């Protein structure tokens, strides 16, 4: 049996196992008292060899030497094992972080935006900062695997990413910024994927705004199935973003097909 925690960590790394749990470490070091193991874990943390992913989870991440400067291996290595397997939390990477995986974000995403069932506090792991957003009915949302040589994590489909961006535009810098991302996302979207995402989210206002945006960007192939989806659902006049202003202050135009008032700054070339 190994005598030191460092020997255990080195052996795990050689096997390609970077996610370890406290129970595994205690099993591999049966001669170590709980206090001795706690101190050894603390020393490895101080040395940058180990990262504890969240308080109380007992989930530890080994940091290989090549990732010492960033303080943790890539997100694909540990996000899914930590959230889905250790914590049992349904999740998907979404919003601008999801758009980035499709090469559709013109902005540098400084944090990783993760959708979860209930609100969680932000987490920093090395140079990775995770921000969590609550999403109801998360297990019904369409996702796919984002894979790399380091591992994989769940990410929203392009169509769900589109709906999420529209729904949360105010926290992302407004609709002008969101539209820049959407223009790069349209080629990744399919009519079938769009209907699947709409059925999962079940938000008529988001669907209406999507329709107006598809019209502005001449996306007829996606516009037709959306019109079919909305046909038997009740709609009311809404603004493309924010609240609908009084009638005498509406200088833009109204998309009568989707009942969306579009302000002048959101013209087709904006």
């Amino acid at each position: 049996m190994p005598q030191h925690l460092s020997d255990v960590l080195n052996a795990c790394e050689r096997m390609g196992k970077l996610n370890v749990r406290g129970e595994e470490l205690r099993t591999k070091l049966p001669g170590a008292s709980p206090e001795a193991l706690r101190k050894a874990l603390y020393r490895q943390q101080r040395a940058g060899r180990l990262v504890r992913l969240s308080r109380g989870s007992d989930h530890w991440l080994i940091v290989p030497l090549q990732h010492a400067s960033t303080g943790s291996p890539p997100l694909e290595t540990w996000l899914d094992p930590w959230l889905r397997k250790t914590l049992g939390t349904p999740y998907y990477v979404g919003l601008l972080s999801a758009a980035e995986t499709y090469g559709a974000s013109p902005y540098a995403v400084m944090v990783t935006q993760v959708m979860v069932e209930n609100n969680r506090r932000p987490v920093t792991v090395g140079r990775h900062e995770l921000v969590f957003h609550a999403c109801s009915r998360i297990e019904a949302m369409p996702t796919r695997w984002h894979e790399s040589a380091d591992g994989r994590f769940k990410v929203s489909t392009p169509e769900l990413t589109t709906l999420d961006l529209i729904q949360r535009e105010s926290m992302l810098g407004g609709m002008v910024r969101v539209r820049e991302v959407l223009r790069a996302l349209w080629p990744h979207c399919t009519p079938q994927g769009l209907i699947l995402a709409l059925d999962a989210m079940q938000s008529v206002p988001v669907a209406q705004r999507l329709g107006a945006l598809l019209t502005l960007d001449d996306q007829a192939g996606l516009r037709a199935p959306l019109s079919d989806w909305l046909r038997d659902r009740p709609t009311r006049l809404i603004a493309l973003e924010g609240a609908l202003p009084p009638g005498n202050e509406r200088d833009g135009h109204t998309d009568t097909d989707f009942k969306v008032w579009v302000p002048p700054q959101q013209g087709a070339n904006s």
Side-chain angles (χ1 to χ4, degrees):
M1 297 294 292
Q3 298 298 310
H4 302 286
L5 177 59
S6 58
D7 298 329
V8 173
L9 301 182
N10 291 340
C12 287
E13 184 180 346
R14 283 193 295 271
M15 293 187 294
K17 181 179 177 61
L18 301 184
N19 292 274
V20 294
R21 293 162 181 83
E23 182 179 354
E24 299 175 61
L25 298 176
R26 287 187 286 273
T27 299
K28 291 179 182 297
L29 291 168
S33 68
E35 179 63 13
L37 182 57
R38 185 187 67 80
K39 290 181 177 179
L41 289 168
Y42 179 71
R43 287 193 297 270
Q44 294 294 333
Q45 274 188 286
R46 289 289 302 272
R49 181 69 169 130
L50 271 182
V51 176
R52 184 171 63 176
L53 290 181
S54 62
R55 189 181 300 275
S57 71
D58 210 19
H59 187 132
W60 298 87
L61 182 64
I62 299 171
V63 182
L65 183 60
Q66 66 265 36
H67 299 298
S69 61
T70 57
S72 75
L75 201 65
E76 293 91 337
T77 304
W78 52 270
L79 184 64
D80 186 75
W82 171 51
L83 286 177
R84 186 170 63 91
K85 296 180 180 178
T86 296
L87 300 183
T89 298
Y91 81 95
Y92 63 86
V93 172
L95 299 170
L96 294 176
S97 298
E100 189 175 49
T101 68
Y102 297 113
S105 180
Y107 304 97
V109 182
M110 305 308 293
V111 301
T112 299
Q113 296 163 321
V114 183
M115 314 299 283
V116 290
E117 195 167 24
N118 300 301
N119 282 320
R120 297 182 62 89
R121 292 181 177 179
V123 169
T124 300
V125 181
R127 291 185 184 174
H128 296 285
E129 183 179 353
L130 275 59
V131 176
F132 298 96
H133 302 278
C135 172
S136 60
R137 302 180 66 248
I138 189 168
E139 294 191 82
M141 297 300 167
T143 61
R144 62 178 58 171
W145 289 106
H146 169 71
E147 301 194 40
S148 76
D150 297 297
R152 64 181 190 169
F153 56 71
K154 285 186 176 182
V155 61
S156 53
T157 62
E159 299 84 5
L160 178 58
T161 303
T162 295
L163 299 185
D164 280 341
L165 290 169
I166 294 170
Q167 185 177 53
R168 299 170 189 260
E169 51 82 19
S170 61
M171 57 166 279
L172 300 172
M175 194 62 81
V176 170
R177 185 184 186 196
V178 165
R179 282 191 67 191
E180 291 185 55
V181 181
L182 293 182
R183 288 190 186 105
L185 266 178
W186 298 140
H188 298 274
C189 296
T190 66
Q192 297 80 5
L194 188 60
I195 296 304
L196 190 64
L198 288 165
D199 285 342
M201 183 174 284
Q202 288 292 325
S203 174
V204 170
V206 170
Q208 288 179 252
R209 293 183 172 104
L210 172 62
L213 293 169
L214 290 172
T215 300
L216 289 172
D217 288 344
D218 298 319
Q219 295 293 320
L222 296 173
R223 190 177 182 276
L226 175 62
S227 296
D228 291 340
W229 190 86
L230 279 169
R231 180 168 292 119
D232 298 324
R233 290 175 168 83
T235 58
R236 58 179 176 83
L237 183 64
I238 60 174
L240 186 62
E241 62 179 318
L244 195 66
N248 59 356
E249 295 182 13
R250 296 178 199 164
D251 294 333
H253 73 278
T254 298
D255 183 321
T256 55
D257 290 334
F258 295 102
K259 295 184 182 179
V260 176
W261 172 74
V262 181
Q265 64 269 26
Q266 288 286 358
N269 296 320
S270 64

